[in-house]
């Protein structure tokens, strides 16, 4: 679950990470009041969307008066901001963050994420922060220091020192930087985060006050841990999520929308990825990644079909089930229920293997009046789905 910048900064403040002063606004009038409350000659008016690249996309404006703050907020609120991370449809802007502008002397980068190859947290730090950090990572990978963290021992003092050195902050701000690194780890563990990113972590100009500030903030919380954090779950903004993905999440189905025409219903994340791969190898394009879960029942299968069919681009559906905990006859019954109650008009190719597979196939064979095609082997099933989608 992604948080908005203003929500992430609230978490930063709770653990002592220094942030610019700011207020969130949902209306132009609130933006005007926020400008007045900040008592600054100029402020940023920043669109709150779950995507990076806002500055380059016109989502960060400047206001030098209360009236101008209201005008800039009015320009953003109610629009859809399109960035390199949103796709052409963009994301709706329903809030803006009004925060103080600071004179920057340097931009740094600091983040904590999960190294999925080695199954451990990983701290990243660089003296080359800012909007082009992706280019730095691609062209100068050595410019980003990486510190893997052992969960058994946690963040060690020597690691903190190494990261502060990599940040390259002035000596008088080194202790502040140490505190930021340690607070980042504290926040990561206590809130079950999967990513916390500060880009940029800025050193302000000596002519002003020479501070270290988290100028931007990105936080992603592990969905599987939200039951432990009802306060964080309440921060979820469903308007920033794909409507079908949101609906799937509400009923416990892992779904990611893609750009193809072949809907996929699979049990198990690994099998779902393999199914998407084999569709592409056969010349087709999957419309989704969908993992119905290893222990799904008839109702869950029916729900999964309703999710797939909400995508108007779907021209055929490939069902690939390996029945272990999930019995093949349950899947078959769910398919029959779905095709009858949802008025499914697209062809469905079904590949079943595992527990009660013969009974499942028998149920499908007896329902010949429905648009169900049973195929035993995965490659043959994928090829059939591709052919049907092209028709």
């Amino acid at each position: 679950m992604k948080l908005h910048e203003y929500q992430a900064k609230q978490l930063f403040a709770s653990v002592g990470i220094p942030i610019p002063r700011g207020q969130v606004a949902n209306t132009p009038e609130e933006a005007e009041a926020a400008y007045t409350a900040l008592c600054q000659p100029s402020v940023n008016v920043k669109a709150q969307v779950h995507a990076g690249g806002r500055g380059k996309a016109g989502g960060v404006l400047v206001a030098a008066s209360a009236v101008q703050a209201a005008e800039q907020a009015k320009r953003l609120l109610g629009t859809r901001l399109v960035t390199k991370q949103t796709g052409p449809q963009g994301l709706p802007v329903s809030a803006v963050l009004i925060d103080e502008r600071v004179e920057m002397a340097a931009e740094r980068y600091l983040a904590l994420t999960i190294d999925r190859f080695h199954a451990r947290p990983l701290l990243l730090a660089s003296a080359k922060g800012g909007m082009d950090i992706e280019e730095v990572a691609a062209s100068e990978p050595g410019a980003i220091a990486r510190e893997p963290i052992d969960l058994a021992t946690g963040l060690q003092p020597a690691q903190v020192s190494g990261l502060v050195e990599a940040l390259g902050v002035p000596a008088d701000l080194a202790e502040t930087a140490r505190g930021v690194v340690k607070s980042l780890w504290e926040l990561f563990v206590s809130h079950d985060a999967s990513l916390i990113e500060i880009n940029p972590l800025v050193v302000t100009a000596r002519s002003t006050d020479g501070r270290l500030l988290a100028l931007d903030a990105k936080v992603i919380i592990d969905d599987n841990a939200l039951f432990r954090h009802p306060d964080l779950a309440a921060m979820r903004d469903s308007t920033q999520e794909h409507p079908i993905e949101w609906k799937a999440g509400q009923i416990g189905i892992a779904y990611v929308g893609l750009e193809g025409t072949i809907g996929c219903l699979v049990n198990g994340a690994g099998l779902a990825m393999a199914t998407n791969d084999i569709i592409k190898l056969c010349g087709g394009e999957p419309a989704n990644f969908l993992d119905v879960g290893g222990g799904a029942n008839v109702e869950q299968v029916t729900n999964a079909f309703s999710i797939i069919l909400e995508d108007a681009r779907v021209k055929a559906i490939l069902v690939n089930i390996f029945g272990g905990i999930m019995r093949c006859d349950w899947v078959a019954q769910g398919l029959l229920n779905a095709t009858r109650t949802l008025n499914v008009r697209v062809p469905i190719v079904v590949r079943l293997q595992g527990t009660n597979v013969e009974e499942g196939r028998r149920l499908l064979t007896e329902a010949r009046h429905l648009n169900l095609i049973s195929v035993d082997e995965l490659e043959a099933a994928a090829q059939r789905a591709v052919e049907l989608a092209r028709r």
Side-chain angles (χ1 to χ4, degrees):
M1 184 191 82
K2 295 179 180 178
L3 298 183
H4 283 299
E5 176 193 358
Y6 77 91
Q7 296 168 326
K9 284 182 173 176
Q10 289 170 359
L11 295 185
F12 282 9
S14 72
V15 294
I17 296 175
I19 59 172
R21 294 188 305 120
Q23 293 184 19
V24 67
N26 300 104
T27 65
E29 293 75 20
E30 290 179 0
E32 185 174 355
Y35 177 92
T36 302
L38 289 175
C39 297
Q40 294 289 312
S42 63
V43 297
N44 296 306
V45 182
K46 306 168 78 174
Q48 297 299 283
V49 294
H50 289 171
R54 293 172 299 167
K56 292 182 178 180
V60 179
L61 306 176
V62 178
S65 70
V67 171
Q68 194 175 22
E71 291 173 348
Q72 302 290 51
K74 189 175 182 179
R75 285 179 58 187
L76 294 172
L77 292 169
T79 65
R80 296 187 74 88
L81 185 67
V82 178
T83 79
K84 62 183 179 181
Q85 294 185 7
T86 65
Q89 74 281 0
L91 288 172
V93 181
S94 56
V96 293
L97 175 62
I98 313 297
D99 68 1
E100 63 175 323
R101 288 178 61 79
V102 298
E103 185 180 346
M104 296 183 293
E107 295 179 277
R108 305 293 189 247
Y109 177 83
L110 184 63
L112 224 175
T113 186
I114 299 292
D115 179 350
R116 300 190 185 279
F117 290 102
H118 299 96
R120 62 191 179 190
L122 182 68
L123 262 163
L124 307 170
S126 177
K128 297 186 176 183
M131 290 192 292
D132 298 320
I133 188 64
E134 290 87 356
E135 295 177 16
V136 172
S139 62
E140 300 179 69
I144 301 178
R146 294 167 170 81
E147 278 288 351
I149 301 175
D150 187 336
L151 284 171
T153 57
L155 181 62
Q156 298 300 300
Q159 293 177 306
V160 176
S161 298
L163 290 162
V164 171
E165 182 178 351
L167 287 172
V169 299
D172 61 330
L173 292 178
E175 193 56 38
T176 302
R178 291 179 64 86
V180 170
V181 173
K182 289 189 285 187
S183 294
L184 203 70
W185 173 245
E186 175 190 337
L187 189 65
F188 189 85
V189 174
S190 63
H191 288 69
D192 290 301
S194 58
L195 172 69
I196 303 179
E197 182 181 72
I198 305 175
N199 186 36
L201 176 67
V202 301
V203 179
T204 64
R206 294 294 175 181
S207 59
T208 53
D209 51 9
R211 293 179 292 167
L212 193 66
L213 290 176
L215 207 62
D216 200 357
K218 182 176 182 179
V219 173
I220 300 178
I221 306 298
D222 184 352
D223 284 354
N224 295 313
L226 282 176
F227 71 94
R228 287 199 288 261
H229 306 283
D231 54 331
L232 296 178
M235 295 182 181
R236 190 165 207 155
D237 183 356
S238 61
T239 68
Q240 299 293 302
E241 301 182 38
H242 191 289
I244 302 178
E245 293 181 10
W246 165 255
K247 182 177 178 180
Q250 294 299 102
I251 57 178
I253 293 172
Y255 175 97
V256 178
L258 302 173
E259 299 297 321
T261 59
I262 301 173
C264 303
L265 191 158
V266 191
N267 65 324
L271 188 59
M273 288 187 285
T275 302
N276 284 9
D277 287 344
I278 201 164
I279 287 172
K280 291 184 73 70
L281 288 171
C282 291
E285 290 291 337
N288 62 268
F289 167 98
L290 189 151
D291 174 11
V292 76
N297 53 26
V298 172
E299 180 183 7
Q300 196 79 333
V301 172
T302 306
N303 288 337
F305 257 94
S306 70
I307 292 293
I308 292 172
L309 293 170
E310 288 197 25
D311 186 346
R313 295 170 300 183
V314 170
K315 305 301 181 186
I317 298 174
L318 174 59
V319 178
N320 183 21
I321 298 294
F322 181 79
I325 300 172
M326 185 179 188
R327 291 167 28 183
C328 291
D329 54 329
W330 287 349
V331 176
Q333 191 59 58
L335 294 175
L336 298 178
N337 289 357
T339 51
R340 289 173 181 139
T341 61
L342 300 175
N343 193 25
V344 181
R345 296 184 180 276
V346 299
I348 303 169
V349 179
V350 185
R351 183 254 185 177
L352 298 178
Q353 294 290 345
T355 306
N356 286 9
V357 65
E358 295 302 330
E359 176 62 14
R361 290 173 181 168
R362 183 189 66 78
L363 290 170
L364 296 178
T365 301
E366 290 180 356
R368 293 183 180 179
H369 60 289
L370 299 175
N371 204 7
L372 296 166
I373 303 163
S374 181
V375 180
D376 293 349
E377 298 301 324
L378 178 54
E379 184 177 2
Q383 288 174 339
R384 187 75 171 120
V386 171
E387 291 168 5
L388 292 168
R390 285 175 177 166
R391 292 181 187 176

